[in-house]
């Protein structure tokens, strides 16, 4: 069973939901009306945090699950937790200034690459 990976998946979804709520709150706080996508730097950063998280989820989630299936539920969940931590660091940094998004981006990017490369390696090994 993949209980730990399922938990990390649910936590990633909760984090994405949080970023969506943050965009809505930012619209209210900054006066950026729907459907505008720009207008105030604080809103634009909140929106980019949400969109960047969404852009990475199709890379992260399949890699997470394939890693869990082919390698280890616990290892996948651990690396997946690092991805979530990276997204939180990204959120905190980018919320302050665009220039501060780098460390969180690097953390989540490395976690995603490890999951993807591990899954790919495990699948290829089973094919040969």
């Amino acid at each position: 069973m993949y209980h730990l990976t399922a938990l990390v998946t649910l936590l990633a979804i909760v984090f994405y939901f949080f970023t969506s709520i943050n965009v809505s709150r930012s619209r209210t706080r900054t006066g950026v009306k729907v459907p505008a996508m720009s207008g105030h730097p604080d809103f634009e950063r909140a929106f980019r945090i949400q969109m960047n998280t969404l852009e990475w989820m199709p890379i992260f989630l399949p890699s997470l699950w394939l890693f869990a299936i082919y390698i280890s539920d616990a290892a996948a969940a651990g690396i997946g937790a690092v991805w979530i931590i990276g997204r939180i660091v990204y959120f905190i940094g980018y919320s302050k200034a665009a220039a501060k998004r780098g460390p969180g981006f690097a953390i989540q990017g490395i976690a995603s690459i490890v999951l993807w490369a591990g899954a790919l390696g495990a699948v290829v090994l089973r094919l040969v």
Side-chain angles (χ1 to χ4, degrees):
M1 300 302 284
Y2 303 99
H3 301 303
L4 296 173
T5 301
L7 179 60
V8 167
T9 300
L10 293 168
L11 290 173
I13 292 167
V14 164
F15 178 74
Y16 180 71
F17 184 67
F18 169 77
T19 66
S20 300
I21 291 169
N22 187 58
V23 169
S24 179
R25 283 190 287 172
S26 182
R27 278 189 185 281
T28 301
R29 208 171 39 250
T30 62
V32 176
K33 304 292 183 207
V34 173
M37 304 303 275
S38 62
H40 191 283
D42 291 345
F43 167 76
E44 290 173 8
R45 286 193 309 274
F47 181 71
R48 280 307 309 148
I49 291 166
Q50 179 199 19
M51 287 297 99
N52 189 263
T53 302
L54 180 61
E55 291 160 4
W56 274 89
M57 287 183 81
I59 297 166
F60 167 67
L61 290 173
S63 300
L64 173 74
W65 278 94
L66 290 169
F67 191 102
I69 292 164
Y70 283 92
I71 297 176
S72 163
D73 177 46
I79 299 166
V82 169
W83 184 87
I84 294 169
I85 291 166
R87 293 311 309 177
I88 293 168
V89 171
Y90 181 85
F91 175 90
I92 292 167
Y94 206 169
S95 292
K96 294 176 184 174
K100 295 184 177 187
R101 72 190 191 281
F105 187 85
I107 293 166
Q108 66 89 42
I110 291 167
S112 293
I113 290 167
V114 169
L115 290 168
W116 180 84
L120 176 65
V123 169
V124 169
L125 281 174
R126 283 172 176 76
L127 289 173
V128 282

